[in-house]
Amino acid sequence: MLIADARTDHVANGSLRAEPGPMVLARALRVLQTLTDAPYGLTLARLHSQLGVPKTSMHALLRGLVAEGYVQRSDVGYRLGAASFALGSALVAARTLGVVATPFLHDARAKSGETVLIASIDRNAGRLVYTEVVESHKPVRYTVPAGTTRPLYAAAAGRVLLAFQPEPWTHEYLRSAELRKMTDSTVTDQRRLVRLIERIRIEGHATTVGEVTPDVAGFAAPIFEADGRVNAALVIAAPIERGRAAAERLTRIAIDTARELSLALGHKPRSRSTVPQHTI
């Protein structure tokens, strides 16, 4: 109905021309997004001014959105209607990390050729849990069952999670955790871990080489939720020699995929200069 109600636009000589469906859809989405940022509503003139859509097209488009319940008339003009809020609620309910992450994990595997995982923090246990695993297709690959846990201090994903928790929580974790070696390469010195976590917070990613499992390298980046919290990290894990050889590329894929997944979850990143830095 929206397309049927808004497919025409006046041209200079007064005749009408058909508008392509994708253009109408794009305009409808822009209208809804604009009204999302104006909870008290906007006038037709203001919408026309902000979106640059001809008034005749805008009026027809609004008429269709009102008829479907996505927009309602108010004293000042137009604001979001009940159907928009119902749709928004349904989208939020469906936007669980596991559901949203699946295509991103498969895309990262295709780009990297390696196993891709999501590690979620278990604050009570002071550990991470691998909740989503998409294994590499290569004969020699990193494999781990979903549900496997790891200590936060040793794994790349765990250090990312530590770096992006509230300062008091991370401080208490490092003060009380039993920092034991899992391999000969595991970092267990508290001061060194503090420096590593500070650098991870600044650089936005972490790498471990043979620190949890002797023959595995991990590359991790934070997944931000809409409110800015970090409850999970994206990890690319590879056999150690392949990981060393492709460390820069795998790091970039992890960072880019985690950022795209964060955006899909509703995160709106601030510029780095406005993000407060913390000390542990």
Side-chain angles (χ1 to χ4, degrees):
M1 181 172 181
L2 298 182
I3 293 177
D5 281 345
R7 288 188 56 128
T8 59
D9 189 16
H10 286 283
V11 294
N13 62 8
S15 62
L16 297 175
R17 69 183 178 198
E19 291 183 359
M23 179 185 293
V24 175
L25 177 59
R27 284 180 174 177
L29 293 174
R30 289 171 62 202
V31 168
L32 295 177
Q33 181 60 58
T34 301
L35 292 176
T36 298
D37 297 328
Y40 297 106
L42 293 172
T43 64
L44 175 62
R46 186 71 178 273
L47 285 166
H48 161 68
S49 174
Q50 288 190 210
L51 299 178
V53 177
K55 284 187 178 181
T56 51
S57 292
M58 179 62 72
H59 189 267
L61 184 59
L62 288 168
R63 189 168 61 245
L65 288 167
V66 168
E68 295 293 331
Y70 289 98
V71 170
Q72 67 180 39
R73 293 291 300 270
S74 69
D75 294 340
V76 299
Y78 298 89
R79 62 184 180 186
L80 291 179
S84 288
F85 292 109
L87 176 61
S89 297
L91 291 173
V92 169
R95 199 171 63 182
T96 61
L97 180 57
V99 171
V100 176
T102 298
F104 294 94
L105 299 183
H106 284 271
D107 184 57
R109 179 180 62 181
K111 291 176 179 176
S112 67
E114 304 295 351
T115 296
V116 186
L117 314 94
I118 287 180
S120 297
I121 189 169
D122 181 342
R123 293 182 182 85
N124 291 329
R127 298 176 71 85
L128 65 81
V129 182
Y130 292 127
T131 55
E132 307 291 333
V133 181
V134 176
E135 285 192 13
S136 168
H137 292 309
K138 294 180 179 179
V140 179
R141 62 186 182 272
Y142 178 69
T143 179
V144 63
T148 300
T149 69
R150 296 280 187 262
L152 294 171
Y153 67 88
R159 292 177 187 168
V160 164
L161 291 168
L162 285 173
F164 289 92
Q165 298 308 300
E167 177 185 346
W169 192 92
T170 302
H171 179 85
E172 177 60 24
Y173 170 85
L174 290 173
R175 187 193 66 79
S176 60
E178 180 185 357
L179 306 178
R180 62 181 181 83
K181 281 193 172 290
M182 301 184 70
T183 73
D184 291 340
S185 300
T186 307
V187 175
T188 56
D189 179 77
Q190 188 181 90
R191 292 183 179 180
R192 187 178 172 192
L193 282 169
V194 167
R195 292 194 296 270
L196 284 171
I197 290 167
E198 282 292 341
R199 189 173 70 187
I200 291 164
R201 183 182 292 115
I202 294 169
E203 296 180 351
H205 63 89
T207 298
T208 54
V209 179
E211 294 195 46
V212 177
T213 305
D215 55 355
V216 175
F219 308 86
I223 299 170
F224 291 91
E225 297 183 6
D227 59 6
R229 291 183 301 168
V230 173
N231 293 316
L234 182 131
V235 194
I236 297 177
I240 196 165
E241 294 306 321
R242 287 209 306 260
R244 282 179 173 148
E248 184 176 348
R249 182 175 64 86
L250 296 179
T251 296
R252 175 47 53 192
I253 294 171
I255 293 171
D256 289 346
T257 305
R259 183 183 65 247
E260 292 166 3
L261 179 50
S262 298
L263 292 172
L265 290 170
H267 178 61
K268 296 181 179 179
R270 296 177 291 173
S271 63
R272 184 172 293 275
S273 61
T274 65
V275 177
Q277 299 298 319
H278 304 286
T279 57
I280 297 174

